[in-house]
Amino acid sequence: MIKTAAVLGATGGMGYALTEALCRRNIKTIAFARSEENLLNFKKSWGQNAVIHSGDALNPDDVEEAVSEADAVFHAINIPYPGWDPTLSIILNNILQACSKHHKPFVYTDNIYSYGLQSSPANEISPKNPHTKKGKLRQTLIEAIKNSGVPYIIAHFPDFYGPHTGNTLLHYTLSQIIEKNKGMFVGKTNIPREFIFIKDGAEALAELALNENSYGEAWNIPGAGTITGEEIASIVSQHLSRGVTFRPVHKWMIRAIGVFDPMMREYTELMYLNQTPVILDGSKYEARIGTLPKTPYEAGIKVTLDHILNERNAAF
């Protein structure tokens, strides 16, 4: 039974949503991140079940202190692409060592990069053929978790969207639309792709972690089906009561921008996901855990837009 959880990376998109979901279940939640100021600000929303713990995941002592106090440890830390190697490996090693020393189960939030190219919806036993640098690194991290001897859950998610997801592709587009009638949309606007409303992902992962029979396995947590950029634009236009246009960003454009922008340079190899998207099969979760939360895109996008608007208004 989880009475106390530690969420590492609590001020990021999934970390924030996970802390929120766990606190709502009346679980004492140690919210771990570098910025004490951000943690204190977010605690106003999380409530009394959130315990603020500022620290650096690159410091093994900081990690161990947070891990030692919890019944389960959620790893929701992510960093910008240019710093992935070797930082992600160092952080994971610090967390796994602390979990092993203190006999704590480990819950890992992962993306879809390790799946590589897939011709049909991917389930947990689909062959993983990562062909990109980032996909291969993610697969290396997965193997480290499996070989650590620590009880684990590995959860694969599609791209996030929703409140507090400022570093995601869809947030990038929606933020531009707020300011003007045109927004850059990475990839073709007529290809169905999968996103997940981040609060749904957090709710599903919290339920998964509370099930003792979930550990020692990888799990897919998909979104509410697929949607095209054109359909997203239509929802945005309706909610904002004005016409909007998404301008597709193609690979050659990303490559050109990457000459000056390290983040875009690193994203170039992932453009295949916007041409031949990986779609997740969540039937295993629904068969063993229960119905997946699936906020309709129309509702989720409207909530995201309102959040961006509120943040912008608060800044003035």
Side-chain angles (χ1 to χ4, degrees):
M1 179 181 293
I2 300 176
K3 293 183 178 179
T4 301
V7 176
L8 309 185
T11 55
M14 175 51 80
Y16 179 95
L18 259 175
T19 303
E20 182 180 58
L22 291 166
C23 286
R24 189 163 51 247
R25 286 167 171 77
N26 208 30
I27 294 171
K28 177 184 175 182
T29 305
I30 301 166
F32 178 97
R34 285 185 299 178
S35 173
E36 184 175 20
E37 181 181 356
N38 287 342
L39 286 167
L40 289 171
N41 186 47
F42 289 157
K43 180 176 168 60
K44 298 172 186 176
S45 299
W46 292 329
Q48 63 181 7
N49 287 325
V51 178
I52 301 310
H53 190 130
S54 61
D56 187 347
L58 289 171
N59 184 327
D61 293 336
D62 286 356
V63 172
E64 183 176 354
E65 186 178 351
V67 166
S68 65
E69 300 174 7
D71 300 316
V73 179
F74 293 78
H75 178 4
I77 299 169
N78 206 353
I79 59 175
Y81 291 140
W84 269 26
D85 192 10
T87 307
L88 288 184
S89 297
I90 295 170
I91 290 173
L92 178 64
N93 184 62
N94 287 344
I95 300 171
L96 288 176
Q97 283 191 349
C99 286
S100 178
K101 179 178 178 179
H102 295 279
H103 308 289
K104 308 296 184 178
F106 174 73
V107 184
Y108 182 57
T109 61
D110 200 7
N111 53 40
I112 55 176
Y113 300 168
S114 64
Y115 274 111
L117 292 168
Q118 299 287 328
S119 58
S120 59
N123 59 35
E124 289 83 353
I125 60 173
S126 295
K128 286 187 168 65
N129 299 300
H131 59 288
T132 63
K133 179 178 65 176
K134 292 172 188 59
K136 291 175 182 177
L137 175 57
R138 283 289 182 175
Q139 186 60 25
T140 298
L141 298 178
I142 289 171
E143 293 304 320
I145 294 168
K146 291 181 176 179
N147 295 327
S148 68
V150 172
Y152 67 85
I153 288 173
I154 296 168
H156 293 285
F157 295 91
D159 281 349
F160 298 130
Y161 78 99
H164 305 288
T165 56
N167 60 344
T168 62
L169 292 178
L170 197 50
H171 191 280
Y172 167 74
T173 301
L174 297 179
S175 295
Q176 290 185 324
I177 290 294
I178 292 296
E179 301 295 335
K180 49 192 177 181
N181 294 332
K182 293 182 179 180
M184 305 294 283
F185 184 82
V186 179
K188 296 181 179 179
T189 59
N190 62 349
I191 294 178
R193 291 155 59 181
E194 184 176 35
F195 302 89
I196 184 168
F197 188 57
I198 200 159
K199 290 178 180 286
D200 290 346
E203 289 291 333
L205 186 55
E207 285 301 311
L208 192 63
L210 290 169
N211 187 311
E212 295 180 357
N213 297 320
S214 301
Y215 290 82
E217 300 181 51
W219 298 81
N220 287 345
I221 301 180
T226 59
I227 190 169
T228 67
E230 293 167 353
E231 291 170 327
I232 295 172
S234 177
I235 294 170
V236 173
S237 177
Q238 181 184 28
H239 188 57
L240 298 180
S241 300
R242 56 182 168 88
V244 301
T245 303
F246 284 2
R247 297 174 57 191
V249 178
H250 302 291
K251 187 173 182 178
W252 68 266
M253 298 170 68
I254 293 289
R255 187 179 291 117
I257 297 171
V259 173
F260 309 100
D261 186 334
M263 189 72 173
M264 288 296 101
R265 182 163 60 247
E266 289 288 338
Y267 188 77
T268 304
E269 67 171 2
L270 300 174
M271 280 298 289
Y272 76 94
L273 289 169
N274 306 299
Q275 298 159 347
T276 55
V278 173
I279 310 300
L280 294 179
D281 178 341
S283 56
K284 172 183 169 180
Y285 185 104
E286 297 213 313
R288 289 177 49 187
I289 306 301
T291 303
L292 280 160
K294 293 184 178 181
T295 298
Y297 282 110
E298 183 172 3
I301 290 169
K302 290 178 179 179
V303 168
T304 307
L305 286 168
D306 289 343
H307 180 79
I308 296 171
L309 281 166
N310 289 336
E311 282 194 327
R312 189 191 67 165
N313 292 336
F316 290 105

